[in-house]
Amino acid sequence: MDLNSKNWIFDESCTFDEVTKYFHQLELIKLTESITLDFTKVKQIDTSLLSFVLEIKRKSSPFPKPINFINLPKSFHTLAKLYGVESLFK
């Protein structure tokens, strides 16, 4: 996934091992423009992905540009509901 582009396409597996490396990349960029998070390919997730997406939202919050979500998996919504943050992804 290229975090410098405006369209972030997530891989099939978005679990701790894969997502951890993106946290380090996220620290190095500014989220001042609109981005699209595309989950079309995602087949496997855990809470690491939810944490990563929440960090993206937190980091971009000072800026007025929106974050667009494409094809969030049902399992993502289930985790978001479990942690009480589902309203952030509607």
Side-chain angles (χ1 to χ4, degrees):
M1 178 169 52
D2 179 9
L3 299 189
N4 291 311
S5 73
K6 293 182 182 183
N7 187 24
W8 299 3
I9 301 171
F10 287 82
D11 298 325
E12 284 186 17
S13 180
C14 290
T15 58
F16 181 79
D17 290 336
E18 295 81 19
V19 174
T20 303
K21 62 185 171 192
Y22 298 132
F23 272 103
H24 301 294
Q25 292 177 22
L26 186 61
E27 291 176 10
L28 303 175
I29 62 172
K30 292 185 179 184
L31 296 176
T32 58
E33 296 186 30
S34 176
I35 60 169
T36 298
L37 306 180
D38 185 346
F39 298 88
T40 304
K41 295 180 181 180
V42 174
K43 298 201 183 326
Q44 182 180 7
I45 71 166
D46 64 15
T47 56
S48 301
L49 179 61
L50 178 61
S51 296
F52 182 66
V53 173
L54 288 171
E55 180 63 13
I56 291 168
K57 290 183 75 62
R58 185 201 64 76
K59 186 170 180 158
S60 68
S61 66
F63 307 104
K65 302 295 182 180
I67 297 172
N68 304 302
F69 300 97
I70 297 175
N71 295 316
L72 275 169
K74 185 176 180 178
S75 54
F76 184 93
H77 289 288
T78 301
L79 284 174
K81 185 175 182 177
L82 177 67
Y83 287 94
V85 296
E86 71 272 15
S87 64
L88 298 173
F89 303 102
K90 292 185 179 186

